[in-house]
Amino acid sequence: MDPNNNHLPVCNNACWCLGEMAVAPPSQEIIKPFTDEVVRKLSDIYAKLRLNKSLAQNIAITLGRLGLIAPEAVAPHLGRIAKQWCVSLRFIKSSQATERNQAYKGFCYTIGHNTAGITKDFAYFCSAVVHYRDPPQKLKAIFKNMLQTFKQLTGEENWRNMINKYPDDLKMSLINRYDL
């Protein structure tokens, strides 16, 4: 996939198609063995400085969907893609509820397989979570569990020092929505 301006629509459609295949039961088993290779290609695209917003969103959705079926294959790449993935998640429209939920849930499953991969970009993860204003209850419970687990692992004093560096609106949303 080459997302230069001449091939952007094709690249965007290919990315979307891969995401659809990842959640379609007969196709899941076909695409699953190629997850690592697909994530490598998508992370190369994410590494580009000027990334088309629609393509970035489709990549976030596709990565999330791959994270639903093979989080262990996506997880090793987390350190390279977490920041852009978080930023892209924030811009998925609420009108795309199914895609949005799958993208976030797959991201969380992926983090569960490589918590160290999100550490340096944890503030971006927190921002992505807070930007999802009204997640379904199951997803909200996943967010809360992940955030509270990170708080426990970090330790109370380190946690406070860390979130005190966040903007006030982010900090207050984390505290109020997720009992942190």
Side-chain angles (χ1 to χ4, degrees), residues 18-121:
L18 287 168
E20 289 294 314
M21 289 176 65
V23 292
S27 302
Q28 282 178 337
E29 294 309 312
I30 295 169
I31 197 169
K32 196 172 181 177
F34 301 100
T35 300
D36 182 67
E37 185 178 342
V38 170
V39 174
R40 285 179 198 273
K41 296 289 186 189
L42 295 177
S43 64
D44 288 345
I45 294 170
Y46 256 174
K48 303 217 179 285
L49 293 177
R50 301 189 72 197
L51 187 59
N52 174 277
K53 186 176 175 180
S54 175
L55 179 57
Q57 290 171 9
N58 268 334
I59 291 172
I61 293 166
T62 297
L63 287 170
R65 287 173 165 180
L66 291 169
L68 290 173
I69 64 166
E72 68 286 346
V74 181
H77 304 278
L78 197 54
R80 184 172 179 215
I81 60 176
K83 181 178 176 181
Q84 183 62 48
W85 196 354
C86 290
V87 171
S88 300
L89 284 170
R90 292 175 48 187
F91 295 106
I92 300 172
K93 297 175 184 83
S94 58
S95 62
Q96 297 175 284
T98 300
E99 293 89 348
R100 190 179 200 197
N101 293 339
Q102 291 170 339
Y104 271 89
K105 189 183 275 187
F107 186 51
C108 291
Y109 288 2
T110 299
I111 293 170
H113 284 269
N114 181 8
T115 53
I118 192 69
T119 306
K120 72 177 173 50
D121 296 315

